[in-house]
């Protein structure tokens, strides 16, 4: 019988997503996912710690012995379930009932699978989809938002053929289910490749790049390809692991582990909406249910200039004969099409983020200089007092979508617990959803426009700024992504919680290369000065734990302010 082990299962009212691990051939619901001997080396436990009450983490166990004998090549040790494995269709029926009995499917759902476990999950989803007269079973597939496949043989595996060829042991029914190009596997392959993209199930796949025990690649790249096309799928991606190692990340910088956190964040941020007739509403945040219409993918980002719909662009007066335009007051404005020969006077509307007017060459506002062909991103400090969202509307009581703005080295270091990992835990602890540009898949749109739209879709920006300027935006190389994110949040009158690194601290835990920006140091200095001049309350952190406490406290204080003015 299948068993469902709770790794971390917060109260149903709190969690936004269930994550279910499913092991493979000869696997174990606990040991498959550990690189060591305790919870400190366990992938499911890492996720539970990282996401806190946002997710419930489970591990599905079932008999999947490779052999009818106890102890075979490739899978060390004796298997107490030897000879007890069911065929894939029977096992999926059994496992689906176990999931439904535990309440899986009552909220959004993500599977992380290894080897045969990926085939089992596809079979579970298909049986669920065929259960039109059993709503509690049907909701499992309807709530599925993502599947991560690790070395899953979608077309079958050479191991099954090898087992039959060498005849050194009697292959179990589970092993025979994996025979290369098996008719049942091919039917399942065709069903999933059609169903997943049409129902917006995010699909990620990885495959082994090393021979297991130095003998055989169990799952080749071609077999590891789930066949899903379109923008909901990524992979298959090679990993420098064998078939057994691939499910055991050595640390939290492991590519597969990072891929799983990115997938989960994308789902939590609403990047994997439900689709299709008959789908239930999407629980987009604790205590909040999105309507079917709001669960659709976000609209395509529009190129600059842009303003929130509730706060249309300021209509500028026609240029006077002296070729001067005057704009007064404290407003967000976006101007385009000013002739190159004209002069711009924005009066008192520019405060903080942009120091406009230091240098004119053309008519595009960019940083503290005018360059190019158009004026964009002219900023004003939002009115103090009530916490606001785009369009100067009051900030709703949480939970919120919190955009984390940062440079990459703060995600990487310190290795024992990076600054951004700590900040993410703080956001989760405060009860909000995390949005990070690193979690979004590549799409065929201008990077600047995509970045701006992602920020505008959020409620709060948390800026975590170190000593490096970050990568320049590909289609706006004058500024970095972090600066563009700050600019966009300011334009949208969005609450900005800004945290600056204390460069004098002896507890930073950063390598020397992260302490000096040889390429863009001057830009970073100028950007930080603009941030300091923006009229915001800034907080300085000395180490990752210090940052975590500051972020959580600031979000809770902002929530109290929003509730008081709601």
């Amino acid at each position: 019988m299948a068993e469902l082990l709770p790794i971390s299962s917060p109260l149903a009212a709190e969690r936004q997503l269930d994550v279910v691990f499913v092991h493979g051939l000869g696997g174990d619901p606990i040991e498959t996912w550990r690189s060591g001997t305790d919870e400190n080396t366990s992938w499911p436990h890492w996720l539970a710690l990282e996401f806190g009450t946002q997710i419930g983490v489970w591990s599905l166990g079932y008999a999947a012995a490779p052999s009818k004998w106890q102890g075979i090549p490739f899978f060390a040790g004796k298997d107490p379930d030897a000879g007890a494995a069911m065929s894939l269709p029977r096992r999926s029926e059994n496992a689906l009932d176990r999931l439904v009995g535990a309440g899986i499917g009552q909220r959004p759902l993500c599977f992380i699978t290894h080897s045969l476990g990926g085939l089992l999950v596809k079979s579970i989803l298909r049986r669920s989809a065929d259960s039109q007269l059993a709503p509690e079973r049907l909701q499992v597939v309807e709530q599925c938002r993502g599947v991560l496949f690790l070395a899953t043989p979608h077309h079958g595996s050479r191991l099954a053929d090898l087992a039959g060829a060498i005849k050194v042991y009697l292959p179990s029914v589970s092993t025979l289910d994996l025979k290369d190009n098996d008719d049942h596997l091919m039917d399942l392959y065709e069903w999933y490749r059609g169903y997943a993209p049409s129902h917006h199930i995010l699909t990620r796949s990885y495959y082994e790049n090393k021979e297991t025990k130095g003998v055989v690649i169990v799952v080749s790249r071609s077999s590891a390809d789930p066949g899903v096309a379109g923008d909901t799928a990524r992979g298959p991606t090679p990993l420098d692991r064998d078939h057994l190692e691939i499910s055991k990340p050595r640390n939290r910088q492991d590519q597969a582990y990072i891929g799983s956190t990115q997938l989960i964040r994308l789902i939590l941020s609403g990047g994997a909406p439900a689709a299709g007739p008959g789908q239930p509403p999407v629980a987009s945040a604790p205590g909040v249910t999105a309507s079917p219409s709001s669960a659709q993918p976000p609209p395509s980002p529009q190129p600059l200039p842009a303003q929130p719909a509730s706060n249309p662009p300021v209509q500028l007066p026609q240029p006077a004969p002296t070729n001067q335009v005057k704009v007064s007051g404290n407003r967000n404005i976006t101007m385009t099409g000013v002739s190159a020969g004209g002069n711009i006077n924005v009066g008192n509307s520019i405060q903080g983020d942009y120091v406009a007017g230091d240098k004119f060459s053309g008519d595009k506002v960019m940083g503290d200089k005018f360059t190019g062909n158009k004026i964009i991103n002219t900023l004003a400090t939002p009115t103090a007092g009530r916490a606001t969202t785009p369009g100067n509307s009051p900030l709703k009581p949480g939970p919120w979508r919190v955009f984390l703005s940062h440079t990459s080295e703060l995600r990487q270091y310190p290795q024992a617990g990076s600054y951004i990992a700590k900040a993410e835990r703080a956001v989760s602890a405060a009860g909000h959803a995390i949005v990070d540009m690193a979690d979004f898949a590549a799409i065929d749109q201008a990077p600047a426009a995509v970045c701006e739209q992602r920020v505008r879709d959020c409620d709060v920006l948390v800026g975590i700024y170190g000593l490096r300027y970050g990568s320049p935006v590909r289609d706006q190389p004058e500024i970095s992504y972090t600066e563009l994110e700050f600019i966009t949040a300011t334009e949208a009158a969005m609450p900005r919680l800004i945290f600056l690194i204390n460069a004098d601290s002896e507890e930073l835990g950063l390598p020397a290369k992260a302490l000096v920006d040889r390429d863009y140091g001057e830009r970073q200095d100028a950007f930080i000065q603009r941030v300091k001049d923006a009229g915001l309350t800034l907080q300085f952190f000395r180490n990752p734990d210090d940052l975590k406490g500051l972020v959580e406290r600031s979000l809770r204080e902002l929530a109290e302010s929003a509730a008081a003015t709601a």
Side-chain angles (χ1 to χ4, degrees), residues 426-427 430 497 499 539-540 546-560:
V427 174
L497 304 178
F499 305 88
Q539 301 191 66
F540 293 81
D546 191 26
L547 174 65
K548 178 178 180 294
L550 291 172
V551 170
E552 182 176 353
R553 186 181 68 193
S554 298
L555 285 170
R556 292 191 184 281
E557 290 177 352
L558 183 61
E560 292 175 1

Side-chain angles (χ1 to χ4, degrees), residues 87-412:
S87 65
L88 192 60
R90 291 180 59 198
R91 174 58 68 197
S92 63
E93 177 70 23
N94 176 262
L96 177 58
D97 282 346
R98 187 68 187 87
L99 293 172
V100 170
I104 301 298
Q106 295 179 7
R107 61 187 50 76
L109 171 64
C110 176
F111 289 98
I112 297 176
T113 74
H114 176 231
S115 188
L116 173 67
L119 301 179
L120 176 58
V121 165
K122 291 200 299 183
S123 189
I124 288 170
L125 294 177
R126 185 167 189 179
R127 283 188 173 272
S128 174
D130 291 340
S131 303
Q132 297 296 320
L133 300 181
E136 72 282 0
R137 289 163 61 93
L138 180 63
Q139 65 185 1
V140 171
V141 70
E142 289 185 334
Q143 290 281 23
C144 185
R145 303 289 186 265
V147 183
L148 187 149
F149 296 105
L150 294 162
T152 293
H154 299 280
H155 299 277
S157 168
R158 291 180 56 196
L159 178 61
D161 293 331
L162 178 64
I166 61 178
K167 296 181 180 177
V168 297
Y169 68 100
L170 296 173
S172 71
V173 65
S174 292
T175 302
L176 293 177
D177 272 336
L178 300 181
K179 188 174 182 180
D180 228 359
N181 295 311
D182 175 81
D183 287 343
H184 176 68
L185 293 190
M186 297 311 297
D187 181 58
L188 199 56
Y189 168 82
E190 293 296 338
W191 175 82
Y192 184 82
R193 72 181 300 199
Y195 188 93
S198 65
H199 289 72
H200 298 276
I201 297 176
L202 299 178
T203 302
R204 304 292 184 263
S205 56
Y206 298 87
Y207 67 96
E208 67 216 59
N209 207 29
K210 288 174 58 178
E211 295 177 337
T212 301
K213 305 295 185 181
V215 176
V216 64
I217 295 288
V218 177
V219 179
S220 65
R221 183 195 184 284
S222 59
S223 188
D225 187 351
V228 179
D231 59 4
T232 62
R234 296 291 177 270
T237 301
L239 299 179
D240 191 26
R241 301 284 190 272
D242 66 25
H243 191 71
L244 303 181
E245 296 169 341
I246 198 169
S247 65
K248 305 175 186 294
R250 297 167 187 171
N251 54 53
R252 300 189 196 189
Q253 281 69 52
D254 189 286
Q255 189 171 352
Y257 178 77
I258 292 174
S260 70
T261 62
Q262 291 177 341
L263 177 60
I264 290 169
R265 288 195 192 95
L266 183 54
I267 294 171
L268 290 173
S269 71
Q279 291 242 344
V282 181
S284 57
V288 178
T289 301
S291 65
S293 61
S294 66
Q296 298 305 313
S300 299
Q302 299 298 318
L304 288 174
Q307 286 283 343
S310 59
N311 189 19
V314 174
Q315 299 298 317
L316 300 178
Q318 294 298 316
T322 57
N323 282 330
Q324 293 188 351
V325 177
K326 295 185 178 180
V327 182
S328 61
N330 294 321
R331 302 183 183 180
N332 299 339
I333 60 173
T334 301
M335 299 179 285
T336 61
V338 181
S339 62
N343 296 320
I344 308 299
N345 180 356
V346 296
N348 295 323
S349 67
I350 304 297
Q351 295 184 7
D353 306 323
Y354 267 115
V355 181
D358 287 354
K359 182 176 179 180
F360 289 77
S361 62
D363 37 86
K364 178 181 180 183
V365 176
M366 188 58 63
D368 54 357
K369 299 181 180 181
F370 285 69
T371 60
N373 298 313
K374 59 184 178 181
I375 296 181
I376 65 171
N377 293 336
T378 307
L379 307 179
T381 302
T383 303
R386 300 184 75 183
T388 59
T389 51
N392 291 314
S393 59
L395 180 64
K396 66 181 181 182
W400 304 315
R401 289 160 55 90
V402 177
F403 191 98
L404 289 183
S405 178
H406 61 88
T407 46
S408 61
E409 80 281 359
L410 299 180
R411 162 78 65 189
Q412 297 171 341

Side-chain angles (χ1 to χ4, degrees), residues 443-507:
I443 59 177
D444 187 20
Q445 291 177 342
V450 173
C451 179
E452 290 173 310
Q453 187 63 47
R454 298 307 189 200
V455 174
R456 290 182 186 278
D457 286 341
C458 293
D459 302 298
V460 177
L461 179 129
V462 169
I464 303 170
Y465 303 140
L467 303 174
R468 297 182 62 82
Y469 186 59
S471 301
V473 182
R474 193 166 71 242
D475 53 336
Q476 287 189 23
E478 315 80 325
I479 58 175
S480 67
Y481 282 97
T482 48
E483 182 163 11
L484 180 58
E485 289 156 5
F486 181 81
I487 290 168
T488 304
T490 305
E491 284 186 314
M494 181 185 299
R496 295 157 294 163
L497 304 178
I498 305 301
F499 305 88
L500 302 180
I501 198 166
N502 182 347
D504 295 328
S505 172
E506 298 180 356
E507 308 169 36

Side-chain angles (χ1 to χ4, degrees), residues 3-9 30 45 56-60 98:
E3 59 177 343
L4 190 62
L5 304 180
I7 305 299
S8 171
S9 53
I30 299 298
H45 287 85
V57 183
W58 312 78
S59 189
L60 181 69
R98 187 68 187 87

